[in-house]
Amino acid sequence: MNPPEERPSCPARGKCPVYLAVSSGTVRYAPSGLGPALEGSLGEEPPDTDSSSMEIREKGSEFLKEELHKAQKELKLKDEECERLCRVREQLERELEELTASLFEEAHKMVREANTKQAASEKQLKEARGKIDMLQAEVTALKTLVITSTPASPNRELHPQLLSPTKAGPRKGHLRHKSTSSALCPLACPAAGHILTPDKEGREVDTTLFAEFQAWRESPTLDKDSPFLGRVYREDVGPCLDFTAQELSALVRAAVEDNTLTIEPVASHTPPTVKAAAAGYGSTNTCALSGLARACRHRIRLGDSESHYYISPSSRARITAVCNFFTYIRYIQQGLVRQDAEPMFWEVTRLRKEMSLAKLGFFPQEA
């Protein structure tokens, strides 16, 4: 058993306002004169702090739980907002894809329509150029008529209507006996069944040629395999367009057949050297087709090419004669000629004669 603890003696006992109390190793001082009650209270143990700590922990735990719940609630709201925004983004992406596809489809459609319109415009342009070339050939033919026939001195071969029936007689160099001329009677073409009357100028229709023309006239075409056009190509068109420059001759013939050849006058004030440099084929002093040294007042252009070829008057006359023939043939094919078969045949024969004369070197002199 432990001995009682001794209280330390105070040097000023009776005078000191407090006394020392020792309990369980704890020293406390109390004022003197307060009595044993206060002394007993001071000698008790201090209250336990575990319960207050537990209360603080519980309150802190509840506060943290509330904050965690709030944070989880806010996080859930954020997740819902993110999901909503993702759905909006996906919808916008789909709409953007659909819009892009629609725009591409519309662009392709516009390109197709533009290509179609361009092709139609190019076709119309080609047809217009063909009509222009046809009109140029007609103007050239009219110029030829004007050059060779004037009101003061008309060319009666080109204008047979000017011949008087009483004065119309056999041509010079073609004499007919009176008995044979008086014995002429209407002839029947065995192939076509057409009644052919001898011409007042001493012309007579060749039944074979007329039969071929009649057969072609029933279904006019530009096919060279037909007997009529095959003969014309073989006897007139081929020889008339047969020049020294064989390669260029073939190109000219193809352009004439396709109606894409253009004949242009050469400006007289332009220096020859400048013309030659601009065209690059021949010069104004050399014909590109015949290769002869001639004064070239015209030049030709083939199709859409920008190249020009200078030609002499003789070469121009040969090309013009063939163009005139094809122009009239196209008129018949298009139904623009409203005549009987015989007048049309005589006009075709006259055009063939012009090609033959041009091939032989006979051409009207230019003014």
Side-chain angles (χ1 to χ4, degrees), residues 157-290:
E157 292 184 357
L158 298 177
H159 303 279
Q161 68 274 13
L162 297 177
L163 292 174
S164 175
T166 58
K167 295 183 180 180
R171 295 184 180 180
K172 183 179 179 181
H174 295 273
L175 300 177
R176 293 183 300 172
H177 198 271
K178 290 184 178 180
S179 61
T180 58
S181 61
S182 62
L184 289 174
C185 60
L187 302 175
C189 179
H194 185 80
I195 302 300
L196 302 177
T197 304
D199 190 83
K200 295 179 180 180
E201 298 182 11
R203 301 179 302 186
E204 185 173 332
V205 176
D206 185 282
T207 56
T208 303
L209 299 180
F210 189 75
E212 293 176 353
F213 175 73
Q214 278 282 72
W216 175 84
R217 183 171 173 266
E218 293 298 328
S219 57
T221 177
L222 297 180
D223 188 4
K224 293 181 287 186
D225 295 335
S226 64
F228 167 67
L229 282 184
R231 181 187 295 272
V232 174
Y233 267 93
R234 184 173 59 255
E235 297 179 358
D236 302 309
V237 175
C240 195
L241 296 181
D242 186 14
F243 296 97
T244 304
Q246 294 294 324
E247 184 176 355
L248 183 57
S249 299
L251 295 177
V252 170
R253 179 173 173 174
V256 171
E257 293 174 357
D258 297 337
N259 200 18
T260 58
L261 184 139
T262 305
I263 301 178
E264 302 173 352
V266 177
S268 59
H269 62 275
T270 307
T273 56
V274 175
K275 294 176 187 174
Y281 297 95
S283 65
T284 54
N285 296 324
T286 303
C287 178
L289 289 170
S290 64

Side-chain angles (χ1 to χ4, degrees), residues 101-177:
S102 176
L103 289 177
F104 272 107
E105 184 178 358
E106 189 68 21
H108 287 302
K109 182 178 179 181
M110 293 175 64
V111 170
R112 287 194 299 269
E113 292 178 354
N115 292 336
T116 304
K117 292 181 179 179
Q118 182 180 1
S121 300
E122 291 178 354
K123 182 178 179 181
Q124 293 177 358
L125 177 61
K126 187 176 181 179
E127 293 177 355
R129 286 180 176 175
K131 293 179 181 179
I132 291 174
D133 294 338
M134 185 182 300
L135 293 175
Q136 287 178 346
E138 292 178 358
V139 170
T140 304
L142 291 175
K143 287 182 179 179
T144 303
L145 294 177
V146 171
I147 291 173
T148 58
S149 178
T150 61
S153 178
N155 189 337
R156 297 185 182 276
E157 292 184 357
L158 298 177
H159 303 279
Q161 68 274 13
L162 297 177
L163 292 174
S164 175
T166 58
K167 295 183 180 180
R171 295 184 180 180
K172 183 179 179 181
H174 295 273
L175 300 177
R176 293 183 300 172
H177 198 271

Side-chain angles (χ1 to χ4, degrees), residues 72 74-84:
Q72 289 177 348
E74 292 179 358
L75 183 61
K76 184 177 181 181
L77 294 176
K78 295 291 183 180
D79 291 339
E80 293 177 355
E81 183 70 14
C82 289
E83 291 178 359
R84 188 182 68 82

